[in-house]
Amino acid sequence: MLKLRFHGRGGQGAKVASRTVGTAAFMEGCNVQDFPLYGAERRGAPISAFTRIARGQIMERGVIPDPDVIIVMDHTLLSDPQAAPLSGSNKGGVVFVNTPESPEQLKADYDIDALVITLDLTKIGLDMVGSSILSTLAGAVASRIIGIGEDSLKDAVEKELSGIIADRELLEKNIEAALYCFRSLEPVEMKTLQSEHGKSTVITMPFERARISSPAINAAASSILKQTGNWKVFRPFWDYDVCNKCMICVSRCPEGCISLNEEGFPSVDNEHCKGCLICVEECPKKAIKAVRGPVPDQVEVTGE
Amino acid sequence: MSTEPIRSVKDLPQEENLFPGTAACAGCGGLLTLRHCLKMLGENVVIVNAAGCFTLLSIYPFTPFRSSWLYTAMACAPAGAQGVRDALDILLEKGKIDPEDNLKVVVLTGDGAAYDMGLSSTSGAIYRNLDFYYICYDNEAYGNTGFQESASTPFASRTKTSPAGKGSVKKDLFGIWNSHKPPYLATISPAYPVDLANKFKKAEQYKGPKLFISLIPCPPGWSTDPSHTFKLAKLAVETGFWALKESVFGEVEHTYVPERFKPVEEYLKEQGRFSHLFSPVRKEEQLGRVQEMVNEYWERFGILL
Ligand code: SF4
Ligand code: SF4
Ligand code: SF4
């Protein structure tokens, strides 16, 4: 049996990615399971999805703690303790990361034993489909890694997307981008697809007294400790030469994470900005741009 | 709070009573509405939150609020608010809390709870003249569970449970609530924060139910880009689809009427949930019906002739 685990952010398409590779394997005559796991959270928050593929029966159920292949759809998830995408990865396995960085760099930075493969899916998505939703692209790289044929992948993408996307042209673009990703990678020699019985892992919850198991929140505004800044693909960047301090962006940010600096210019809290880009859309002076990449020192850059 | 009306976004209170770090979707119109409401309400409030998207705002051990927060089932937030109000009143009466430490009781629910499940407990609370605020963030479907049709879903909108578009019309919750003749009732929009702020200022002078319904763009449910949230909230008002109005003891007045109504199509065509009206073929009949319903509404008030 082959076990795959996808890590993405809600809205990025991890669920559809796992379905795509599952459907492609099914078309090749395998038995397949695929299912997502969400927390109580929304778009942008870490989610995972799982696929089991076997020639024989699949008797295992539940989440996959020890995947053969891990697909990380967002580089920033690697250091997210809640997502913990590298947990359970092993030496013989494969870790794919959507990033412009090299596999060697990631291996060193995150101390990964497994074979690391990288490709900048976000760039390919933006260039070829015009969107940072990566479902089919991630499904394609997963399919390639486990050695699925190109035709099965193509059929699977078509099947999965036709229920979601009505626009034929967009669907074609997705197929094209998926095939591009597929062809950009080499398949990896994987273990056999024979099914095996995993040991059952039933987790029992310990009994706790009510004071412990039904907690009360006593600190006000503690959500500030939670960083939502790594949800974003693009971040807003201000040009203070153009800004006229009208406060419109401040009043239109749902997160309330734009405040005024000492000179009265808007300044963003990048640890919490979710990258919705309402501020970019709404600034009447077009003083805010959407940019990709790490956060530079705002003062230094605008001082140039 | 001063009684001077607020004139521009520069006059809005600087204080933030809703903090970042929540699990709400990027670009959530409800979060933007709530941020402005809480600026006006201040931090001395108890929020009674019916199950819905916003129960995810406080997930142990994190909360974005400065204030207290209570979680109830979908149908009973106004009943919960009654309990909180009664407890506060008893404490006040016994002199156990100072009058200046009194708290405002604020019910917060989505449209599922407001239009459907919690309607009878809301009717009861208004009928008993409970002194509370009610803020409904209305994204026109059950957004928390994946966007299933609610009584608030407008005609022709696609949801998970109405894939071909809803056949019936949106329930008029404003009308139902208004039939109780509450002291204050208003519709608000995150795209009109000044209008919103002045409505809260006005509501403050009344004891009894003070009710607010906000139409809120919901990027995942509406299939819209998060950056368009503000623009869509504004288009809803400019096309006449969402009327900004208030009612004092049952007397309805519009607080903002666009000089020229934009065609409602401009609002619909931006949203994935209405895309089936435009492609693969234009559904003229349904598009015409939506525009007609908007026109009929304004004609009833003699605003559109
Ligand atoms: S909206 Fe634009 S011009 Fe106005 S304060 Fe923000 S950045 Fe400056
Ligand atoms: S991108 Fe969105 S969350 Fe970030 S500062 Fe702009 S409006 Fe606020
Ligand atoms: S599903 Fe819609 S209403 Fe709920 S948090 Fe997300 S954007 Fe807001």
Side-chain angles (χ1 to χ4, degrees), chain B residues 149-168:
Chain B
E149 179 183 314
S150 82
S152 169
T153 305
F155 171 72
S157 164
R158 196 159 52 190
T159 67
K160 281 276 157 60
T161 45
S162 56
K166 181 169 157 173
S168 55

Side-chain angles (χ1 to χ4, degrees), chain A residues 238 242-250 266 283-285 287-288:
Chain A
W238 274 256
V242 184
C243 168
N244 68 357
K245 307 183 181 174
C246 70
M247 300 278 288
I248 283 180
C249 55
V250 180
C283 169
K285 306 292 286 180
I288 317 171

Side-chain angles (χ1 to χ4, degrees), chain A residues 236 238 252-255 257-258 268 273-280:
Chain A
W238 274 256
R252 297 185 182 181
C253 170
E255 305 300 322
C257 62
I258 308 175
V268 67
C273 161
K274 290 175 184 165
C276 69
L277 305 182
I278 291 177
C279 53
V280 175

Side-chain angles (χ1 to χ4, degrees), chain B residues 70-297:
Chain B
L70 180 76
Y71 177 18
T72 74
M74 277 189 99
C76 59
Q82 177 85 52
V84 175
R85 185 65 263 161
D86 289 352
L88 285 166
D89 287 345
I90 291 168
L91 290 172
L92 282 167
E93 209 178 280
K94 289 189 171 168
K96 295 213 166 152
I97 51 174
D98 280 338
E100 61 259 34
D101 292 335
N102 191 10
L103 304 171
K104 293 171 187 155
V105 183
V106 181
V107 164
L108 181 62
T109 82
D111 52 289
Y115 285 71
D116 284 338
M117 284 184 233
L119 186 52
S120 73
S121 76
T122 313
S123 173
I126 306 175
Y127 175 70
R128 294 189 304 272
N129 203 34
L130 175 65
D131 188 22
F132 78 128
Y133 289 81
Y134 191 134
I135 302 166
C136 166
Y137 56 101
D138 179 3
N139 68 347
E140 307 191 309
Y142 286 86
N144 190 34
T145 46
F147 214 68
Q148 293 84 7
E149 179 183 314
S150 82
S152 169
T153 305
F155 171 72
S157 164
R158 196 159 52 190
T159 67
K160 281 276 157 60
T161 45
S162 56
K166 181 169 157 173
S168 55
V169 300
K170 184 179 169 101
K171 191 190 272 184
D172 177 14
L173 183 65
F174 185 94
I176 296 170
W177 280 359
N178 198 42
S179 71
H180 299 69
K181 300 197 184 345
Y184 193 80
L185 163 63
T187 57
I188 50 178
S189 162
Y192 293 80
V194 174
D195 174 83
L196 180 157
N198 285 319
K199 283 172 173 167
F200 272 85
K201 263 176 167 291
K202 187 158 178 184
E204 203 181 29
Q205 56 182 302
Y206 300 104
K207 208 171 148 73
K210 297 167 274 281
L211 315 162
F212 297 85
I213 312 171
S214 178
L215 179 71
I216 56 138
C218 162
W222 291 18
S223 308
T224 52
D225 194 275
S227 68
H228 292 170
T229 289
F230 192 92
K231 185 171 101 175
L232 284 166
K234 196 158 178 217
L235 270 173
V237 173
E238 287 178 333
T239 55
F241 193 89
W242 185 246
L244 289 178
K245 55 188 169 181
E246 65 182 3
S247 157
V248 176
F249 294 109
E251 288 298 318
V252 181
E253 257 184 65
H254 288 91
T255 55
Y256 173 76
V257 180
E259 256 170 57
R260 272 190 43 226
F261 288 92
K262 291 189 171 159
V264 79
E265 234 186 276
E266 279 187 35
Y267 170 64
L268 304 179
K269 72 173 195 289
E270 300 285 329
Q271 306 173 42
R273 63 178 176 151
F274 292 113
S275 62
H276 63 108
L277 299 180
F278 298 94
S279 98
V281 283
R282 270 178 70 92
K283 298 212 177 87
E284 297 295 351
E285 202 188 305
Q286 296 193 26
L287 284 168
R289 182 78 199 101
V290 180
Q291 184 68 59
E292 246 168 58
M293 284 191 283
V294 171
N295 294 353
E296 278 164 17
Y297 172 86

Side-chain angles (χ1 to χ4, degrees), chain A residues 40-43 45 166-167 215-217 219-228 231 244-258 260 269 272 274-278 281-282, chain B residues 9-10 12 14 16 18-28 31-32 35-36 53 56 58-66 143-145 193 219-220 224-231 279:
Chain A
E41 298 176 84
R42 292 266 149 291
R43 233 187 212 196
D167 180 352
I217 303 174
S222 55
S223 66
I224 203 86
L225 298 170
K226 265 192 104 169
Q227 303 201 344
T228 46
W231 288 21
N244 68 357
K245 307 183 181 174
C246 70
M247 300 278 288
I248 283 180
C249 55
V250 180
S251 75
R252 297 185 182 181
C253 170
E255 305 300 322
C257 62
I258 308 175
L260 299 181
D269 164 5
H272 294 97
K274 290 175 184 165
C276 69
L277 305 182
I278 291 177
E281 184 80 15
E282 293 298 324
Chain B
V9 290
K10 288 194 177 171
L12 294 171
Q14 297 267 324
E16 298 286 354
L18 179 67
F19 279 70
T22 68
C25 309
C28 173
L31 203 64
L32 184 54
R35 184 181 154 227
H36 286 298
C53 280
L56 305 175
S58 281
I59 303 176
Y60 182 78
F62 303 108
T63 176
F65 302 116
R66 284 185 198 272
N144 190 34
T145 46
T224 52
D225 194 275
S227 68
H228 292 170
T229 289
F230 192 92
K231 185 171 101 175
S279 98

